[in-house]
Amino acid sequence: MDDVYEQLYWYLDLDSNGILDVRELQEGMRDLGFTVTQEKGKKIFTTGDINKDGMLDFEEFMKYLKDHEKKMKLAFKSLDKNNDGKIEASEIVQSLQTLGLTISEKQAELILKSIDADGTMTVDWNEWRDYFLFNPATDIEEIIRFWKHSTGIDIGDSLTIPDEFTEDEKISGQWWRQLLAGGVAGAVSRTSTAPLDRLKVMMQVHGSKSDKMNLVGGFRQMVKEGGIRSLWRGNGTNVIKIAPETAVKFWAYEQYKKLLTEEGQKVGTFERFISGSMAGATAQTFIYPMEVLKTRLAVGKTGQYSGIYDCAKKILKHEGFGAFYKGYIPNLLGIIPYAGIDLAVYELLKSHWLENFAKDTVNPGVMVLLGCGALSSTCGQLASYPLALVRTRMQAQAMVEGAPQLNMVGLFRRIISKEGVRGLYRGITPNFMKVLPAVGISYVVYENMKQTLGVAHK
């Protein structure tokens, strides 16, 4: 194979100067019938360019292809379940299932057709190698990574399942860049939708006093009481908690996945759900006092607190440390229905798209992924909303004059007897209104941040 690679190098080196640039690689591969996009070209260069001079010399080119071939061989063997030297549609279905992606035999045949050069509807090692030779997708996981549940989207909710990273991303340091990009996207998205978030909290806490608190009335009331700036009250805490929460959640998720799966075993949807829920619970335990501060600041009147520190000091002085964990139990209980329904609906939508709309590709495109993500998280919120409402009420109870300090069960009873089941969904309208702008803003900022930080595109 070395001779073939050597011939290929000198064929691609159009000006015969002993070094390859991205343009030569793209043009040469196009002449050979391969499509190498700019993104793929850049990834080949960043992986193979050892001395970081922006060029590939002969040694670097040969090393890249040999390393790449090893990875392709491993990917081929992991797919070839019966070791007959060929990959069939059923083997693709089986392999993707272990990665938590369920596809039908029909979709597997579409994947095979795109790689199968001789029309046998099976793929041998030569066909596999030729297809992936200049495609930086080095393992089966990368081929389906665009169906990852998380796409760096932040909808201002703390309950989402953490992001997944490949071993390659962990080694190269891409993971922390993606987390940073997601954090910045979350901060911009939360700040943009903060007025709707504060209105939701106000309606959850004060809605029972009067049925008059609606969208327009609520905004008018907040502006009248504290001016336009007051619409962002509590947003600082909401933004500050992104970093510690993401860090703890990511670390805990990795630990729980290791505990739940045996060495070398792939993480399935169920394990991902359990690990994600437990990671969410761990992160919430760490940052919960900030959740309480956010609620208190959002509900607080003008001049009541001069800032986050002042709010924390006053709570500690008047109510003791226990106040920082008010509403902790309903918050923890809310993680399970949210994460479970979010993942289940996402899997359902994904299967539906693959069954009915996947013609010659299993890549759904950005709009489909964003739509699936927004819809599944909305369904998750709908299921866990009564618990979220009770949590917020418990966090703010001490501020509402004359309100008895009830526990979770007492509050549920009181809300249902006084306001009916509808009372458990107060503030859900502004909550849903912020989903689409939050998803859109978050995605745009996330993609731009990834480019700025030099994160390789999926």
Side-chain angles (χ1 to χ4, degrees):
M1 202 65 205
D2 282 9
D3 293 346
V4 177
Y5 288 164
E6 198 171 331
Q7 284 169 13
L8 178 64
Y9 182 81
W10 295 115
Y11 176 82
L12 293 171
D13 184 14
L14 301 173
D15 51 15
S16 304
N17 64 347
I19 46 174
L20 273 183
D21 59 31
V22 178
R23 183 190 56 82
E24 286 177 317
L25 179 74
Q26 282 179 291
E27 283 179 19
M29 295 314 293
R30 205 178 297 125
D31 292 344
L32 289 169
F34 288 91
T35 306
V36 176
T37 63
Q38 205 163 359
E39 279 172 20
K40 280 182 189 172
K42 276 181 189 166
K43 187 161 182 188
I44 290 168
F45 270 72
T46 50
T47 311
D49 184 15
I50 297 161
N51 61 9
K52 305 294 173 210
D53 63 352
M55 303 285 184
L56 285 184
D57 60 33
F58 180 69
E59 282 76 24
E60 288 173 330
F61 182 77
M62 294 296 277
K63 188 179 185 315
Y64 168 78
L65 286 182
K66 281 176 185 171
D67 290 350
H68 192 57
E69 189 175 321
K70 273 182 210 161
K71 289 178 184 174
M72 290 191 297
K73 193 84 177 169
L74 287 171
F76 184 83
K77 281 184 172 167
S78 76
L79 278 170
D80 184 17
K81 300 288 181 194
N82 58 8
N83 296 317
D84 65 349
K86 293 188 190 79
I87 297 170
E88 289 112 39
S90 59
E91 288 173 324
I92 288 183
V93 172
Q94 209 180 328
S95 295
L96 295 193
Q97 221 149 25
T98 63
L99 295 169
L101 179 67
T102 309
I103 66 167
S104 67
E105 197 104 5
K106 196 170 78 184
Q107 271 110 43
E109 282 168 13
L110 289 172
I111 297 172
L112 270 186
K113 210 179 278 181
S114 64
I115 306 170
D116 178 27
D118 57 11
T120 56
M121 281 316 288
T122 60
V123 171
D124 62 23
W125 162 239
N126 290 333
E127 287 174 316
W128 179 266
R129 187 194 56 225
D130 291 348
Y131 182 81
F132 285 112
L133 186 61
F134 284 96
N135 182 345
T138 50
D139 59 40
I140 188 63
E141 283 187 63
E142 274 194 51
I143 297 162
I144 58 133
R145 285 229 21 249
F146 36 64
W147 267 120
K148 259 187 7 172
H149 179 56
S150 174
T151 43
I153 298 307
D154 181 284
I155 54 158
D157 225 285
S158 311
L159 308 173
T160 43
I161 293 278
D163 214 341
E164 297 246 23
F165 297 107
T166 62
E167 287 309 312
D168 191 37
E169 282 172 323
K170 287 174 196 167
I171 294 160
S172 67
Q174 296 281 13
W175 66 273
W176 69 261
R177 290 188 183 95
Q178 285 192 41
L179 284 181
L180 180 59
V184 173
V188 175
S189 159
R190 288 181 187 198
T191 303
S192 307
T193 56
L196 283 165
D197 197 55
R198 186 175 178 223
L199 178 62
K200 173 193 80 175
V201 174
M202 294 293 277
M203 287 172 84
Q204 285 177 332
V205 175
H206 296 304
S208 57
K209 281 189 173 179
S210 139
D211 277 329
K212 286 173 191 164
M213 188 178 258
N214 53 23
L215 283 171
V216 181
F219 274 124
R220 208 174 277 153
Q221 216 172 301
M222 288 191 294
V223 172
K224 190 181 170 188
E225 192 272 329
I228 295 285
R229 267 188 69 186
S230 72
L231 297 177
W232 276 266
R233 207 173 279 165
N235 181 57
T237 322
N238 204 20
V239 168
I240 289 166
K241 70 185 174 75
I242 294 172
E245 186 178 12
T246 305
V248 174
K249 200 187 275 187
F250 173 62
W251 173 82
Y253 188 48
E254 292 298 312
Q255 303 313 309
Y256 290 129
K257 276 198 304 184
K258 278 178 197 162
L259 282 173
L260 289 170
T261 51
E262 286 168 36
E263 192 68 43
Q265 195 186 347
K266 297 292 178 192
V267 184
T269 305
F270 179 71
E271 287 84 3
R272 199 174 286 129
F273 161 59
I274 296 294
S275 304
S277 301
M278 286 165 73
T282 306
Q284 282 290 297
T285 305
F286 273 88
I287 61 108
Y288 194 75
M290 293 179 88
E291 295 275 3
V292 174
L293 289 171
K294 178 209 152 189
T295 299
R296 290 291 181 97
L297 287 162
V299 177
K301 293 183 172 70
T302 303
Q304 192 170 354
Y305 304 116
S306 61
I308 299 167
Y309 178 68
D310 181 52
C311 181
K313 207 166 67 176
K314 282 178 178 167
I315 292 172
L316 199 59
K317 187 183 172 185
H318 299 296
E319 300 166 61
F321 185 74
F324 288 112
Y325 279 87
K326 278 184 178 170
Y328 175 73
I329 291 169
N331 186 64
L332 222 52
L333 293 173
I335 291 170
I336 303 292
Y338 181 94
I341 286 166
D342 185 18
L343 261 181
V345 172
Y346 189 79
E347 292 295 314
L348 203 71
L349 293 169
K350 179 175 74 182
S351 301
H352 181 73
W353 188 89
L354 286 164
E355 275 300 325
N356 299 288
F357 302 102
K359 296 286 179 276
D360 53 0
T361 176
V362 286
N363 187 347
V366 170
M367 293 317 290
V368 173
L369 283 180
L370 289 184
C372 289
L375 198 56
S376 64
S377 62
T378 302
C379 292
Q381 282 184 328
L382 195 59
S384 63
Y385 195 82
L387 284 158
L389 179 129
V390 167
R391 172 202 69 189
T392 308
R393 287 258 180 113
M394 287 177 79
Q395 288 170 344
Q397 262 182 142
M399 294 174 76
V400 183
E401 288 149 40
Q405 301 289 295
L406 299 168
N407 62 14
M408 183 179 79
V409 178
L411 250 177
F412 264 117
R413 281 198 186 126
R414 183 185 160 93
I415 292 167
I416 289 168
S417 69
K418 288 205 161 196
E419 306 163 52
V421 175
R422 255 187 72 191
L424 294 171
Y425 286 89
R426 285 195 187 278
I428 202 160
T429 308
N431 193 51
F432 282 169
M433 279 172 71
K434 75 185 176 100
V435 170
L436 282 178
V439 166
I441 293 162
S442 187
Y443 178 75
V444 170
V445 177
Y446 180 65
E447 287 302 309
N448 283 302
M449 277 302 296
K450 281 205 312 185
Q451 283 178 352
T452 308
L453 294 165
V455 177
H457 284 261
K458 288 174 217 156

